[in-house]
Amino acid sequence: MVSLAKLDRRRLGRSIFLGVVSFFVGALVYALFRTNPEVRSRFWVLPVLPFLWIFVGLWGGYFWLDWQKRPLVPNPDWAIYPVWGLLWAFLALGAATIVYLKGGRAFAIIYFSINLYFLLAMSLLSGMAISGTWL
């Protein structure tokens, strides 16, 4: 049975998460409508950012270390390197897109922040899947 204190903490956590998500989505929509349509035509570069965290997730799934499989064959040491390398590549590409989208930088910064959240989560999960340990 769930205690009343735990139930309140769950509701509080959900409320905070939904509040933050609502803020970022609202700010993203506001920045999009505030951006000049001429600048919006250069937003074609933005899908590169989600591609990176999706790739990290797929990479971790491909090199997932299954402890139930016998014989256990560990992953090569280099399998984790793309996960950490793409973190740095994401930061560089994010900075480049923010600089490139002059006039739409508010939208680009918010979009970058949302995707950074997903990349950090995917990197942590992929790192754990590849190494087989808690990071």
Side-chain angles (χ1 to χ4, degrees):
M1 179 154 187
V2 178
S3 70
L4 187 60
K6 280 192 171 187
L7 188 62
D8 289 339
R9 279 187 270 158
R10 287 182 188 162
R11 284 188 188 154
L12 180 64
R14 187 179 325 132
S15 298
I16 291 172
F17 177 76
L18 290 176
V20 171
V21 167
S22 299
F23 171 76
F24 273 105
V25 170
L28 193 66
V29 170
Y30 175 75
L32 178 65
F33 287 119
R34 207 180 112 218
T35 304
N36 186 357
E38 190 176 290
V39 175
R40 270 190 248 155
S41 66
R42 295 187 305 195
F43 281 180
W44 61 268
V45 299
L46 291 175
V48 170
L49 298 177
F51 170 75
L52 291 176
W53 62 261
I54 291 169
F55 178 78
V56 167
L58 292 173
W59 185 266
Y62 182 76
F63 284 102
W64 175 44
L65 184 61
D66 187 5
W67 287 98
Q68 305 302 318
K69 190 175 179 184
R70 297 289 182 240
L72 180 67
V73 179
N75 284 322
D77 291 338
W78 58 264
I80 195 81
Y81 297 156
V83 173
W84 307 131
L86 284 175
L87 281 169
W88 293 107
F90 181 84
L91 294 174
L93 281 171
T97 56
I98 290 169
V99 169
Y100 174 72
L101 293 173
K102 186 177 181 181
R105 288 188 179 148
F107 182 84
I109 289 170
I110 297 167
Y111 189 80
F112 170 78
S113 301
I114 292 170
N115 282 284
L116 180 63
Y117 170 79
F118 288 110
L119 180 73
L120 291 175
M122 279 295 164
S123 297
L124 181 68
L125 293 173
S126 292
M128 288 188 294
I130 292 169
S131 67
T133 59
W134 289 96
L135 298 178

